[in-house]
Amino acid sequence: MTTAPRRVAITGLGLVTPLGNDVAATWKTLLAGRSGVAPITHFDARGFPVRIAAEVKGLDPRDAIDDRKLLRLADRSQTMGLVAAEEALRDAGIRPGAGDATRWACVVGSGKAGLGFAELAEVHRHCGPDGTFHPERLLTDGFAMDPLAFQRSQTCAGLAILLHRFGIRGYATSVHTACASGSQAVGTAMKLIRRGAADHVLAGGFDSMIHPIGLASFCLLGALSPDNETPQRASRPFDATRNGFVLGEGAGLLVLEEWSAARRRGARIYAELAGDGNSLSSYRITDPNPSGDGPIQAMGQALATGGVRPEDVDYLNAHGTSTLMNDRSECAAVRAVFGDHAGKIGVSSTKSLMGHLIAGAGAVEAVVCALAIHHDVLPVNANLAVPDPECDLDFVRGEPRARRIRVALSNSFGFGGSNSCLALRNPDEVDE
């Protein structure tokens, strides 16, 4: 006798983005079509060819997190993750307790680990003032580097902080697959509940690469838009004039739980997390295969594992980075997977307004899909003035589009060829 897999409900959402420091503010700004891209304020970027980014603005984590000692342990992206997680758990109306902490899991996508620029600059000042590195000075001459810097630099540091803050004692892991990290974390969380390894999962992603090293790296790759004079138009996915993506930062966290348990406790269910798909293209480190092979596999798997027919999909939150290769490859993949139905799916890339949040992007965009289903509205693909003829899908242009969404897909494709796709179903479409 075959047992049907357990269904997964999305019951809590939390966001910290360049558009707002919570779900309500982000959603309002997104529907208004206001860009979060502006000149960089985190540091002096005057010496860089790109001087714009989509920064989180005015976030005071003490408004949400009352543990000052814990906040000292967190770097910028981890702090955003903490704030978003607090909102998601509050929204869900449920938290780990002494009796069920081991049945709670935590899976998060986290960004590139390493010492921060400030710590590296301090090492340079003390150990290499003459241009030559003197390692003996690290341990002598009264040099005292922040002992917490090493702790904050670990890939799993954000995960550990979340576990400590919320008392989660079950399965825990961090995912680092570049721009697919947040999406793959959410997909992994779904599988934990489906196979019975957890009843509740706090899942999502967070990242911030808006610092001198992060900006320099993407500038050297030639991946960023250099439109410093028109920052709000710099990110224009699928537009024929696009010339690179805009670096962003932020966090998205979701509370997932077993469907029937969520129903029994009367929880608000935004959507069913129905399916996920993953593949690894390994075509080039930075460029996707023009055929769309990896994304084709990921989208096909998401539909299959979710029991979704292609014709049931009404909205696609595209990866849509605003780079020439990515946008064309993704459109080719969508046409291959959906055939004639491809032109009937409303498509938008919300990176057009909030930039590319790297490891946090997929999780934030999964939250956007859940909100789109909940509110019956498709967010706009901003700045699409001159459509690329090779990107011929039904893009949501001008203003958001009112539409009941049966199934939404969220695509996330990362450097190195990691591809992820999530399928979210309207709770009214779930056959219980």
Side-chain angles (χ1 to χ4, degrees):
M1 180 177 177
T2 302
T3 302
R6 305 201 305 173
R7 291 189 181 276
V8 179
I10 299 174
T11 59
L13 305 175
L15 288 175
V16 174
T17 76
L19 304 185
N21 294 336
D22 56 29
V23 168
T26 296
W27 185 243
K28 181 179 179 180
T29 306
L30 188 63
L31 293 188
R34 293 198 300 271
S35 174
V37 184
I40 292 171
T41 63
H42 290 356
F43 61 94
D44 186 352
R46 284 178 295 180
F48 291 84
V50 174
R51 300 181 294 279
I52 57 173
E55 297 175 323
V56 167
K57 305 161 188 69
L59 177 67
D60 187 346
R62 296 170 297 183
D63 293 338
I65 306 296
D66 57 3
D67 189 335
R68 302 291 181 89
K69 182 177 180 181
L70 186 64
L71 290 174
R72 287 186 62 239
L73 296 174
D75 68 12
R76 182 173 177 81
S77 71
Q78 295 156 10
T79 298
M80 292 186 285
L82 269 172
V83 173
E86 182 69 38
E87 182 184 21
L89 287 163
R90 191 184 321 117
D91 185 41
I94 190 169
R95 288 174 179 263
D100 68 351
T102 59
R103 297 296 300 167
W104 276 78
C106 185
V107 187
V108 290
S110 57
K112 182 178 180 296
L115 290 176
F117 182 79
E119 288 83 8
L120 291 174
E122 180 61 26
V123 170
H124 175 76
R125 283 192 294 270
H126 187 82
C127 302
D130 58 355
T132 300
F133 180 57
H134 301 280
E136 69 279 3
R137 295 189 181 183
L138 282 170
L139 304 176
T140 59
D141 300 333
F143 178 65
M145 190 172 175
D146 181 1
L148 297 179
F150 178 74
Q151 181 274 330
R152 286 190 291 264
S153 72
Q154 305 305 299
T155 304
C156 62
L159 173 69
I161 289 170
L162 290 173
L163 298 177
H164 177 79
R165 169 69 180 177
F166 302 113
I168 296 172
R169 297 290 179 265
Y171 183 100
T173 190
S174 57
V175 178
H176 185 60
T177 49
C179 318
S181 302
S183 180
Q184 289 192 355
V186 175
T188 298
M190 182 198 78
K191 284 179 257 198
L192 289 174
I193 294 177
R194 278 195 167 179
R195 69 175 184 240
D199 297 323
H200 305 83
V201 187
L202 178 64
F206 42 85
D207 203 356
S208 176
M209 293 190 71
I210 306 176
H211 49 70
I213 295 174
L215 185 65
S217 299
F218 286 118
C219 284
L220 289 170
L221 288 172
L224 299 180
S225 170
D227 293 351
N228 299 306
E229 305 307 315
T230 54
Q232 295 185 346
R233 285 205 68 253
S235 181
R236 44 188 185 275
F238 309 109
D239 191 275
T241 68
R242 65 193 183 279
N243 58 4
F245 73 84
V246 171
L247 193 58
E249 62 180 355
L253 273 293
L254 304 88
V255 174
L256 311 178
E257 56 185 296
E258 194 274 324
W259 183 274
S260 60
R263 283 294 197 203
R264 284 195 300 271
R265 73 178 185 88
R268 173 182 52 198
I269 297 178
Y270 289 97
E272 178 197 13
L273 183 56
D276 86 314
N278 293 284
S279 68
L280 184 64
S281 301
S282 298
Y283 175 70
R284 287 179 184 160
I285 291 295
T286 56
D287 292 335
N289 191 315
S291 71
D293 175 65
I296 289 170
Q297 293 183 51
M299 284 186 280
Q301 291 172 22
L303 296 176
T305 58
V308 174
R309 300 177 303 171
E311 58 268 28
D312 291 336
V313 177
D314 295 313
Y315 174 58
L316 169 66
N317 188 290
H319 184 55
T321 57
S322 189
T323 62
L324 183 67
M325 288 291 291
N326 173 87
D327 292 1
R328 289 182 176 176
S329 173
E330 184 170 14
C331 288
V334 172
R335 290 192 296 268
V337 170
F338 291 97
D340 292 341
H341 186 65
K344 301 175 184 178
I345 301 170
V347 179
S348 64
S349 169
T350 44
K351 291 182 179 71
S352 59
L353 293 172
M354 65 175 72
H356 191 344
L357 279 56
I358 314 298
V364 168
E365 290 158 15
V367 172
V368 168
C369 285
L371 291 168
I373 289 173
H374 185 68
H375 293 289
D376 296 320
V377 62
L378 281 57
V380 70
N381 191 105
N383 301 323
L384 181 49
V386 185
D388 183 338
E390 294 191 36
C391 301
D392 55 353
L393 302 177
D394 180 20
F395 297 106
V396 183
R397 299 173 63 188
E399 60 184 12
R401 183 185 302 172
R403 181 175 183 178
R404 185 180 183 277
I405 302 170
R406 293 167 295 170
V407 175
L409 295 188
S410 178
N411 280 342
S412 298
F413 312 139
F415 275 8
S418 295
N419 305 290
S420 177
C421 179
L422 299 174
L424 288 74
R425 182 183 281 114
N426 192 309
D428 294 338
E429 295 288 320
V430 175
D431 182 6
E432 299 184 57

